[in-house]
Amino acid sequence: ESPEDAIEYRQAAFKLVGNVFGSRLGDVARGDVEYDAEAVKQNAATLKVLMNLPWDGFGEGTQGGNAEDKVWSNKADFDEKAEASIKAVAALDEAAQSGDLNKFKAAFADAGKSCKTCHDSYRKK
């Protein structure tokens, strides 16, 4: 795999994550779309799978794209933040599967904070 392929892969994976998290689930969490428990459950389950995809695209020698170089110079911290985001999305899925809108909204906010922590540290502005 070339560095360009890795960059393209992780960017495509994050685009899917962003679509499901930011639009499909985010619209519900913000109250822009009426709550449909089954749709939220399905989208949260999809997001849980998607959230595991991008990280393989951050191998050694794949610098570039929207990732700061410190992803590779501070890999342990980056990996820790990635794992925290995966866990936060798993908790979001669990809350969504409960069918409780308030639990979903709280877990959505927590997942957003986790993702933002990584973006603030490792994504180019």
Side-chain angles (χ1 to χ4, degrees):
E1 178 176 272
S2 72
E4 294 79 17
D5 289 342
I7 293 166
E8 184 178 339
Y9 168 82
R10 68 182 181 238
Q11 288 178 339
F14 279 129
K15 184 171 184 155
L16 290 170
V17 166
N19 178 271
V20 175
F21 183 78
S23 296
R24 294 181 187 190
L25 294 173
D27 288 350
V28 174
R30 290 185 295 275
D32 296 337
V33 171
E34 187 174 331
Y35 177 64
D36 175 342
E38 291 308 311
V40 167
K41 288 177 184 181
Q42 182 179 23
N43 284 313
T46 298
L47 181 63
K48 184 178 175 184
V49 171
L50 292 174
M51 197 62 187
N52 288 284
L53 298 178
W55 316 112
D56 288 339
F58 288 96
E60 192 61 40
T62 63
Q63 289 86 337
N66 296 324
E68 295 279 0
D69 287 342
K70 59 187 174 178
V71 165
W72 292 270
S73 62
N74 198 3
K75 192 77 162 98
D77 184 65
F78 174 76
D79 289 345
E80 186 178 303
K81 284 179 174 48
E83 186 61 32
S85 292
I86 290 168
K87 287 180 181 178
V89 167
L92 171 60
D93 179 49
E94 186 175 321
Q97 299 311 318
S98 77
D100 184 317
L101 178 59
N102 291 325
K103 285 182 183 179
F104 162 72
K105 285 183 176 183
F108 180 88
D110 289 344
K113 289 176 193 169
S114 181
C115 293
K116 184 177 181 337
T117 297
C118 197
H119 286 191
D120 288 350
S121 298
Y122 295 107
R123 186 176 185 196
K124 290 180 181 174
K125 296 348 182 227

